[in-house]
Amino acid sequence: MSKGGRSFVFYIIMLVVSGILIYGLLEMGDRFEATHASASTGNVQYFLTQGFSIFTHSLKMNIQTPVAMLLLQVISILCVARIFGWLFVKMKQPSVIGEIVAGIVLGPSVLAQVMPDVSAFLFTPESLSNINILSQIGLILFMFAIGMELDISEVRKKLRETIVISHSSMIIPFLFGMAAAYWTYPKYAAHTTPFVSYALFIGIAMSITAFPVLARIIQEKGLTKSHLGTLSLASAANGDVTAWCLLAVVIAIAQSGTFVGALYTVLFAALFLLFMFYILKPFLNIIGNIYHNQEVITKTIVAFMILILIISAYVTEVLGIHALFGSFIAGVIMPANVKFRKIMTEKVEDVSLSLFLPLFFVSTGLKTQIGLISTKEEWLVCGMFILVAVVGKVVGTTFPARITGESWKDSWSMGALMNTRGLMELVVLTIGYEMGIIPPSIFVMLVLMTLATTIMTGPFLNFIDFCFAKKEQPVRPVVHKSGVFRVLLSFGRTGTGKTMLSVAHQVFSKGEKPCELTALHLTVGTEVNPIHTENFEISSFEPILEEADRLQINIHTRYDITNDAGAEIVHIVNNESFDFLMVGAGISMSTLPEDVEATKHKSWFYPGDLVKDKTQVFIEQTHAPVGIFVNRDFDRASQVIVILEKPKDVFLLNYASNLIRSNQASVCLFEVGNEFARNKISDNKVREFLNSHRQATLICLPRLSEKILQQHDFMLISYPTWMDITDSEKEALQSMPSTLIIHKK
């Protein structure tokens, strides 16, 4: 008997013997429970009915356990938040607005009014404490990520040119906010909180700018590398640092009740900052320079950084300036190494943004009872808050920007951008609400103000563009040098770009025209962290630039973030007159079986559909020829096979000629079938190619074979021929070398 047969027999015997012994033990134990014996002899139908009744009762009890309720709440929150986030993205609004609205919908303002029984069951008062704790953990992680997004060295560099704009955009709305506080305090807050604390918090609420939301709006508008985008981001970054430091002071004053009482808190907070920046940060920079890639960052390192985050949050919470300030500072002092920060940011943001922050939005929504604003006067006060917030921010940004030399259009655009508040405003409002400084009705008004000022950013920018459109000179189309063959290399994985550059150099460098290469790398998803995009761009192009230096060629690089990579690539190719587009076929097409067992499953590999699904949009919509590169450990195209099936495939001979001139490559023309023999023009071109190149040979066979493909290290094939032979030659193609599949327009 084989080894597998013995194992199977042993497994069956083990199950049978164990089952018999278990049954025997249960039967022997029945004598200890007389009631069980009598029940077991009863009616079977009664037994089944009673058992189902017990099961349903147990199910009802289990649903209401704290863990089950928390999980049900999380499921409901995540589903609703994702739906509303998707809807608002479709409306050209940041997804964070949709998630905030989702929180309000699940709260007493909507769900409790429409389906009170569902609301009472899903969000019982005693269960809300768990949601609040989880949301606070999410905020701590989020503020840690925000701190890592801020590069203090960059803030210092741009401090001189942005200090007027950033601080004016804070001070002026802060004054407007304090004036609004003075007007609303007697009726809404005099009986609950001191005026100083109330006025300071309203001032902060008016002056805050949501740096993450602002960065994503700039990114979606394609302004990241423009002067307007750069200046707005720098001003917002400077303002963010100032705002959080000011918020810490405001919290200290609110906790102590007086300026004098807050001095000790501010003093110890200053000592804490000195320790973090001048003792701990240099030490962490050393760690970051050592551990700066995915392979060497261990769980121990990650746990150590998270421990610093928790300790920092704990210290500031104990000092009375809130745990969020400590988590923000912990993020700021993280190692300056870009690769380290990128890895840490991804680890933290994946959890905080996808899980914890929606819980915060809902916990905020549960506090937002729009019904508290019931009278006409209260709605007028709400409108006043919105007006004060918009005017304060826009005026406080636009006119200082104009005074510093910006154009009127850029000045107004900066005012619109800096008016974005979003999530950061909710954080400030929640702190004030939980401290009892902001009463519930004012809290609701300020939440509505947050939504209004963030939603209006996009339309406001479009209106500014419309107003200044007539005054601007029409943009002249980009004129490219004539007599240059322009190739766009679009790569996803960092390592793929280096290989694709080598292929393009060998295929195009010896063509009839000088070759101009542009490498394009797109990150899909505009919600990706945009703060370090310039540094991420450097790390993404580092291998391909090193390869360009080795080959001693010039290459242009382009980096962008988009929601639709295919449409963006097509737009670039068609609007910028590229002569050739090269894309990668993907990991599935570029991996060979590594062991004998894997070769048994070659039928899983279906190259036709893989290439078609990935590149159909380029084939159908681009005006230039498209090359789909399949990487099979490509090094050098020295033994080249050119597959010729149709007469139109002779265009591949031009690329084969380039490879011969570039690499002194040996080229094998492989005619599949006898269609060439019936086409005199194509046959003549093949013979002319063979006569011109001694390195070229011709093979005519009805089918491909694995042996022939294994003898070559590079293959050229047209896209129509590839789609024809992927079914009939599937087995042979398992052994194909690195391949360039070309679709000619």
Side-chain angles (χ1 to χ4, degrees), residues 194 326 399 445 540 563 569 649:
F399 291 98
M445 296 176 189
S540 298
N563 279 326
I569 293 169
D649 290 347

Side-chain angles (χ1 to χ4, degrees), residues 370-568:
I370 298 179
L372 293 175
I373 312 176
S374 56
T375 66
K376 181 179 179 181
E377 180 186 351
E378 288 170 339
W379 280 108
L380 287 174
V381 173
C382 180
M384 180 273 297
F385 274 123
I386 296 174
L387 181 63
V388 168
V390 173
V391 173
K393 265 293 181 182
V394 174
V395 171
T397 305
T398 301
F399 291 98
R402 179 58 179 163
I403 291 171
T404 57
E406 301 300 319
S407 66
W408 274 115
K409 180 184 177 182
D410 283 354
S411 299
W412 282 106
S413 298
M414 283 192 68
L417 289 168
M418 298 292 279
N419 189 44
T420 304
R421 286 174 173 82
L423 173 60
M424 307 306 290
E425 177 78 357
L426 289 188
V427 174
V428 174
L429 297 180
T430 301
I431 293 173
Y433 182 84
E434 292 176 350
M435 292 177 65
I437 297 170
I438 300 177
S441 57
I442 297 296
F443 177 79
V444 174
M445 296 176 189
L446 294 178
V447 169
L448 295 178
M449 178 271 291
T450 301
L451 290 172
T453 54
T454 308
I455 289 173
M456 69 182 295
T457 302
F460 197 180
L461 285 173
N462 294 335
F463 178 72
I464 293 169
D465 289 339
F466 172 78
C467 291
F468 285 89
K470 297 179 180 179
K471 299 179 182 180
E472 293 182 339
Q473 294 296 326
V475 179
R476 296 181 179 179
V478 179
V479 179
H480 298 288
K481 294 180 292 184
S482 60
V484 175
F485 189 80
R486 305 183 68 239
V487 179
L488 181 67
L489 309 177
S490 177
F491 67 96
R493 291 176 294 149
T494 302
T496 305
K498 175 181 178 180
T499 306
M500 290 177 64
L501 175 63
S502 179
V503 173
H505 176 66
Q506 295 179 44
V507 173
F508 301 112
S509 63
K510 299 297 183 180
E512 296 178 359
K513 298 179 180 179
C515 181
E516 180 183 282
L517 296 171
T518 300
L520 172 67
H521 179 65
L522 299 175
T523 299
V524 179
T526 52
E527 289 188 1
V528 73
N529 188 327
I531 310 306
H532 295 306
T533 51
E534 184 175 348
N535 294 322
F536 292 170
E537 177 181 355
I538 294 172
S539 61
S540 298
F541 287 112
E542 186 176 355
I544 200 170
L545 290 175
E546 289 177 354
E547 180 69 6
D549 289 339
R550 187 186 70 82
L551 297 173
Q552 297 183 341
I553 59 176
N554 293 323
I555 183 171
H556 305 286
T557 59
R558 292 183 60 168
Y559 176 81
D560 204 354
I561 297 176
T562 178
N563 279 326
D564 191 340
E568 183 70 16

Side-chain angles (χ1 to χ4, degrees), residues 302-341:
V302 175
F304 177 67
M305 297 302 170
I306 297 297
L307 181 62
I308 290 175
L309 158 65
I310 295 172
I311 293 174
S312 178
Y314 174 76
V315 169
T316 54
E317 180 72 18
V318 170
L319 286 176
I321 53 175
H322 211 280
L324 295 182
F325 183 74
S327 61
F328 174 75
I329 296 300
V332 171
I333 67 161
M334 281 295 107
N337 188 286
V338 174
K339 294 180 180 179
F340 182 93
R341 285 202 174 201

